[in-house]
Amino acid sequence: MIAEKRSRLLSEMKSGETGLVVAVAGGKKATKRLADLGLTPGSLVRVVRKTLFSGPIHIEVCGSKFAIGRGLAQKIIMDFNA
Amino acid sequence: MPENNHITIVLAGQGNAGKSSLFNNLTGLHQHIGNWAGKTIEKREGTLFYKDYTIDVLDLPGIYSLTTYSVEEVISREYITHHHPDCVINVVDSTNLERSLIFTLQLLELECPLVLALNMRDLAKNRGINIEYNKLQGLLNTPVIPTVASRGYGITDLIDEILKIKGNRSSHAVHRYGKEIEDCIGQLTSLIQINEFAYPARWIAIKLLEKDKDITKLVGDQKPEILGKTKELSDHLEEMHGHDSSLVIADERSHLAYQLTREIETILPNRITSLNDRLDAITMDRISGYIVMVLIMGGMFFTVFTFGNWLSGLFDTMFAQFHDWWNNAVGVSSLASLGWAAIESVLALVQIAFPYILPFYIMLYVLEDWGYIARISFLMDHLMHKMGIHGKACISFIIGLGCNVPGCLSCRIMESRRERFITAVLVTLVPCSAVSVIVFGLVGKYVGLLWALGLYVFAMILIFLVGRISSKLLLGEPVELIMPMPDYKAPQLKSVFSQTWDSLKEFIYIAAPVVIVSGILIRAIDLAGWMSAISSFLSPVTVNWLGLPAVTGILLIFGILRKELILVMLAAYLGTTHFADVLSPQQMITLAVVSMFYVPCVATISVLWNEYGWKKTLIVCALEIFFAIALAGLVKRLLDFFYSAG
Ligand SMILES: Nc1nc2c(ncn2[C@@H]2O[C@H](COP(=O)(O)OP(=O)(O)OP(=O)(O)O)[C@@H](O)[C@H]2O)c(=O)[nH]1
Ligand SMILES: [Mg+2]
């Protein structure tokens, strides 16, 4: 059976969840920066932790960790098995 | 042409990979080192003599890509491509191998002579990361040397390797993309003659597809017809993949890096990684993270305060006899008085400033090298957004706590000009170690530690308010935080102490002469009988509005040179460091408030001037002088009210 697939924003994922990036809808520069760090459509992202309110999100991509602002995380569309 | 035994090498790699550590080890120079990405902001040259060779070494800012978007990337790419170094050393962080290889692949595309330094081998080992160096070397057909830059391990192997390949154009493997991309690259390269541009044809083709601005312009100027073909091909790629052609290439590159990594790297579960994760679970947590932050910063200030008080008390008793000795030895005359002024100023500098500045720097460098600063940025990002900037600004603030000059320079880590400027202005309001001398040595010591800490809280609130206002005034798109989070590292005591020593040396070489000259000058003014004239000129502000002794007017003028001068000169002028004898608690607090904010010191002003032009600098200075004086006067009135009521 095909697992039921849903798409969500990176900002909506919970700590510890992993998902596949479908698209990055941020500005050109931010998209480029993320791509340089290995976050491109098609890469796997794990959410390490989130902060209170609308603080940044701690993520792991390509075996390295980054912090990205919540506003940017709202522009990263993920595809993952719920 | 360079002689045969004279070679140039360039250190290139991602942020925080250990380039500057390697540079320091090779050249004996002292580049700033710390555990966060973006410390090196300007290229720096040094020289190494090895065997019969003279080797020029160049340290570059960390970059993540050779497609130019940011200033650092332009600087670094130009050096690698235009200056034809005999060898590029790609410094790779072994603990972040996959991410690092994304950049390595780009360097390989450039087809320059390349050696890989797989740095932080010690950390990789501790974390159970096993890398097959020989296999990587075989796969890339490029020398791969494991190194530990901070301790010099592997450095001679590295240089020997460089000497072997110097001059020879490298023949390393060129990785292949997927068929569609290779098709496009092939079609473009067939339009470019081999030596037409300063770059390899294949590289030009890739950059065209990646829409690199500089390369597109370069090609457009010489062969505009290629651009049409490029457009057609990248549109084709975009149609097939559904996103920008530059992303299609970036995606394949990171996939290649992934495959390479899988082939050469194995990771065993281990204690260190889980220790780092557990530390992060406490220090980055949404609740305990903030508690730990307050404890760490509070603990730091408390230590500076107690250690500083203890040491300055010790110096106090040591120096107590000096004046009598001087009078007995030299006698009493105006010349002797001027001589004593010089000595006394230096003594006051040693006694007042040194005890606080020393522990301050040690602790700041420990925090930096440990990796905590990136955590503060993470925790504070949300709050920083309210000031129109983002979390990385905290890095500049914390560096500014040591000294505003590197603090302002480090604002280059901010991505847009607007953010850089806002951050730099806010850094000038951060109490640097010289101001801390006044806060702790005066208010902390004679009014109370809580008052001193209160002043820091006050400064933070003020910075927040100014940030909010300036973000409203300077319109612009807010930029989002994107920041690599380094793992915690055991601070390298060697580099902590050598950096502390560098800062102190600077303090001695620059502060001491200024202090001596100012000390003599003030005494001369006093002896000539002009003191009261100058002081009374400023007294409407100092005496009437701020309620301070008239002499502070002249001290505040000297304080523009260096802020610690305010207190040092006051001690030298009064002939005592027992400030409680001459100043009331309200006066101490008022003086501290003025000193904290009234104007950036000369060195900071010159940095602002360089980075943002004279207009903005003058506006900032004028506003700060005005507001600091207004604010301190209000504080004085509040305190008076408070004291008379209580
Ligand atoms: N354990 C260990 N630590 C290292 C090694 N090399 C560098 N470091 C540490 O790694 C951190 C970063 O080193 P830097 O030399 O400042 O890195 P950089 O590449 O110049 O960084 P940027 O200038 O910010 O791009 C510092 O805390 C160093 O002490 C190493 O081989 N082993
Ligand atoms: Mg560096």
Side-chain angles (χ1 to χ4, degrees):
Chain A
M1 286 303 297
I2 305 163
E4 191 198 338
K5 286 206 167 174
R6 290 198 292 145
S7 64
R8 275 209 277 190
L9 301 176
L10 177 57
S11 55
E12 294 165 348
M13 287 172 63
K14 296 196 189 70
S15 310
E17 283 181 339
T18 304
L20 201 68
V21 179
V22 177
V24 181
K28 243 195 162 139
K29 274 195 179 173
T31 310
K32 164 85 174 26
R33 270 269 162 272
L34 291 173
D36 290 339
L37 293 168
L39 196 156
T40 49
S43 56
L44 269 182
V45 174
R46 181 170 74 90
V47 175
V48 181
R49 66 173 50 76
K50 296 170 80 171
T51 42
L52 274 188
F53 315 116
S54 49
I57 300 186
H58 191 188
I59 56 170
E60 183 174 335
V61 188
C62 289
S64 317
K65 297 194 176 114
F66 309 100
I68 62 173
R70 185 68 64 105
L72 187 56
Q74 282 164 350
K75 293 183 184 141
I76 301 176
I77 300 154
M78 310 292 298
D79 177 359
F80 68 108
N81 298 325
Chain B
M1 278 309 283
E3 293 165 41
N4 240 355
N5 51 359
H6 188 163
I7 60 179
T8 345
I9 60 178
V10 162
L11 304 177
Q14 295 183 334
N16 212 26
K19 297 175 294 299
S20 299
S21 303
L22 186 60
F23 178 85
N24 289 352
N25 229 304
L26 289 172
T27 61
L29 293 174
H30 299 272
Q31 278 279 66
H32 181 141
I33 283 173
N35 189 11
W36 53 277
K39 295 156 298 270
T40 305
I41 44 178
E42 203 124 26
K43 56 181 194 288
R44 171 95 191 262
E45 253 180 88
T47 310
L48 158 74
F49 301 99
Y50 181 76
K51 294 185 179 161
D52 287 337
Y53 290 90
T54 307
I55 306 177
D56 282 334
V57 188
L58 197 80
D59 186 20
L60 291 176
I63 55 173
Y64 294 87
S65 148
L66 286 175
T67 306
T68 49
Y69 263 95
S70 69
V71 194
E72 294 81 25
E73 282 163 354
V74 177
I75 296 179
S76 299
R77 185 170 88 183
E78 290 220 320
Y79 248 86
I80 299 170
T81 53
H82 290 350
H83 292 247
H84 298 290
D86 295 291
C87 183
V88 176
I89 301 182
N90 176 206
V91 183
V92 168
D93 175 357
S94 314
T95 62
N96 284 301
L97 191 60
E98 188 178 331
R99 187 192 79 198
S100 307
L101 286 177
I102 298 177
F103 180 68
T104 305
L105 290 174
Q106 301 197 41
L107 279 176
L108 288 169
E109 283 169 356
L110 205 50
E111 295 170 37
C112 49
L114 188 71
V115 173
L116 258 64
L118 281 203
N119 194 33
M120 313 221 187
R121 182 212 165 111
D122 54 333
L123 293 180
K125 255 191 188 160
N126 286 342
R127 282 175 205 169
I129 301 173
N130 180 40
I131 299 172
E132 295 177 57
Y133 300 101
N134 288 334
K135 198 164 172 189
L136 182 61
Q137 183 159 325
L139 286 169
L140 302 180
N141 200 18
T142 299
V144 174
I145 314 286
T147 58
V148 180
S150 47
R151 274 188 267 122
Y153 171 90
I155 305 247
T156 43
D157 295 346
L158 190 65
I159 307 174
D160 287 334
E161 204 58 55
I162 294 163
L163 295 180
K164 250 191 256 166
I165 72 155
K166 76 157 180 140
N168 300 335
R169 209 174 166 75
S170 66
S171 57
H172 46 244
V174 180
H175 53 277
R176 296 277 147 192
Y177 292 95
K179 192 176 163 312
E180 301 142 19
I181 296 181
E182 282 299 334
D183 264 358
C184 298
I185 295 175
Q187 290 191 41
L188 284 177
T189 39
S190 68
L191 298 177
I192 304 168
Q193 258 100 57
I194 293 212
N195 285 323
E196 195 167 9
F197 299 100
Y199 309 98
R202 181 180 166 83
W203 189 76
I204 297 255
I206 295 172
K207 289 296 136 182
L208 283 175
L209 291 171
E210 281 189 286
K211 300 184 176 165
D212 180 282
K213 275 195 214 127
D214 293 352
I215 297 299
T216 308
K217 188 171 174 310
L218 180 79
V219 174
D221 288 347
Q222 293 186 30
K223 277 195 150 185
E225 68 275 13
I226 297 186
L227 293 189
K229 186 74 188 162
T230 308
K231 173 104 181 45
E232 183 190 311
L233 291 171
S234 49
D235 283 351
H236 169 69
L237 280 178
E238 271 157 44
E239 208 172 295
M240 292 187 51
H241 291 264
H243 38 254
D244 200 84
S245 59
S246 64
L247 278 184
V248 178
I249 293 185
D251 186 29
E252 285 219 10
R253 219 184 259 131
S254 57
H255 193 69
L256 284 168
Y258 169 81
Q259 285 175 330
L260 264 176
T261 312
R262 287 296 88 72
E263 274 191 63
I264 54 166
E265 183 190 70
T266 42
I267 303 178
L268 303 169
N270 66 95
R271 211 168 43 82
I272 303 283
T273 314
S274 62
L275 182 73
N276 187 76
D277 289 347
R278 262 183 291 166
L279 258 179
D280 269 347
I282 301 169
T283 56
M284 291 175 76
D285 181 75
R286 51 183 75 186
I287 296 160
S288 66
Y290 293 94
I291 299 173
V292 171
M293 185 171 74
V294 169
L295 287 178
I296 287 185
M297 296 312 281
M300 178 170 129
F301 285 116
F302 183 74
T303 315
V304 170
F305 170 75
T306 29
F307 179 86
N309 273 0
W310 169 76
L311 194 61
S312 87
L314 204 71
F315 283 137
D316 194 20
T317 43
M318 260 170 61
F319 298 159
Q321 314 297 327
F322 283 18
H323 197 187
D324 294 338
W325 290 346
W326 175 264
N327 283 346
N328 289 339
V330 188
V332 182
S333 67
S334 338
L335 209 61
S337 168
L338 287 179
W340 175 244
I343 297 175
E344 192 173 39
S345 311
V346 173
L347 291 182
L349 179 74
V350 171
Q351 184 188 337
I352 298 175
F354 183 77
Y356 297 99
I357 287 180
L358 174 75
F360 213 88
Y361 272 122
I362 293 182
M363 281 190 288
L364 278 179
Y365 285 128
V366 166
L367 282 189
E368 231 193 295
D369 212 36
W370 184 39
Y372 190 65
I373 291 191
R375 271 73 191 174
I376 296 185
S377 302
F378 180 80
L379 293 170
M380 300 295 281
D381 181 59
H382 180 58
L383 192 69
M384 293 291 138
H385 272 288
K386 298 209 183 309
M387 301 188 238
I389 47 183
H390 60 65
K392 271 200 225 167
C394 284
I395 296 177
S396 301
F397 292 170
I398 290 178
I399 294 175
L401 279 174
C403 174
N404 281 183
V405 171
C408 280
L409 283 171
S410 74
C411 293
R412 294 196 198 164
I413 52 176
M414 305 301 287
E415 287 82 358
S416 73
R417 260 196 85 74
R418 166 181 172 271
E419 289 180 296
R420 284 182 193 189
F421 181 64
I422 295 182
T423 310
V425 170
L426 298 182
V427 168
T428 65
L429 297 173
V430 170
C432 68
S433 59
V435 172
S436 301
V437 169
I438 302 174
V439 175
F440 287 124
L442 192 65
V443 178
K445 200 161 165 185
Y446 296 106
V447 188
L449 177 61
L450 278 182
W451 279 98
L453 292 179
L455 281 177
Y456 276 94
V457 174
F458 183 67
M460 284 197 287
I461 296 172
L462 194 78
I463 288 171
F464 179 75
L465 292 178
V466 173
R468 262 207 91 93
I469 295 168
S470 48
S471 75
K472 291 266 146 58
L473 292 179
L474 301 167
L475 298 173
E477 275 290 294
V479 178
E480 287 285 338
L481 175 76
I482 303 178
M483 181 177 66
M485 290 298 283
D487 281 352
Y488 282 114
K489 287 195 188 99
Q492 311 264 339
L493 287 187
K494 197 182 112 202
S495 86
V496 168
F497 283 119
S498 87
Q499 301 205 57
T500 306
W501 176 235
D502 284 344
S503 304
L504 286 182
K505 241 187 355 211
E506 203 240 43
F507 180 73
I508 294 164
Y509 288 156
I510 297 181
V514 174
V515 161
I516 292 175
V517 172
S518 320
I520 295 177
L521 218 70
I522 289 191
R523 181 62 50 90
I525 292 172
D526 196 22
L527 286 178
W530 297 341
M531 199 58 146
S532 60
I534 297 179
S535 301
S536 67
F537 174 70
L538 291 165
S539 65
V541 174
T542 48
V543 180
N544 301 350
W545 172 244
L546 296 174
L548 294 171
V551 65
T552 46
I554 221 166
L555 298 178
L556 288 174
I557 293 178
F558 276 95
I560 299 177
L561 295 176
R562 295 185 67 93
K563 295 237 173 140
E564 66 266 33
L565 275 181
I566 297 171
L567 202 60
V568 168
M569 291 293 106
L570 185 64
Y573 178 74
L574 298 171
T576 174
T577 56
H578 296 284
F579 299 110
D581 298 346
V582 284
L583 294 174
S584 70
Q586 296 100 297
Q587 287 179 315
M588 293 188 197
I589 296 171
T590 313
L591 182 59
V593 172
V594 192
S595 316
M596 280 169 109
F597 307 118
Y598 78 109
V599 74
C601 69
V602 170
T604 311
I605 293 177
S606 80
V607 172
L608 287 178
W609 195 299
N610 265 336
E611 304 268 305
Y612 307 101
W614 62 271
K615 247 192 227 158
K616 283 183 177 166
T617 308
L618 287 185
I619 293 176
V620 169
C621 291
L623 284 179
E624 285 188 10
I625 291 179
F626 178 76
F627 279 113
I629 290 175
L631 190 73
L634 292 179
V635 167
K636 181 218 173 246
R637 277 156 186 79
L638 271 179
L639 288 172
D640 282 347
F641 175 75
F642 182 71
Y643 268 83
S644 63

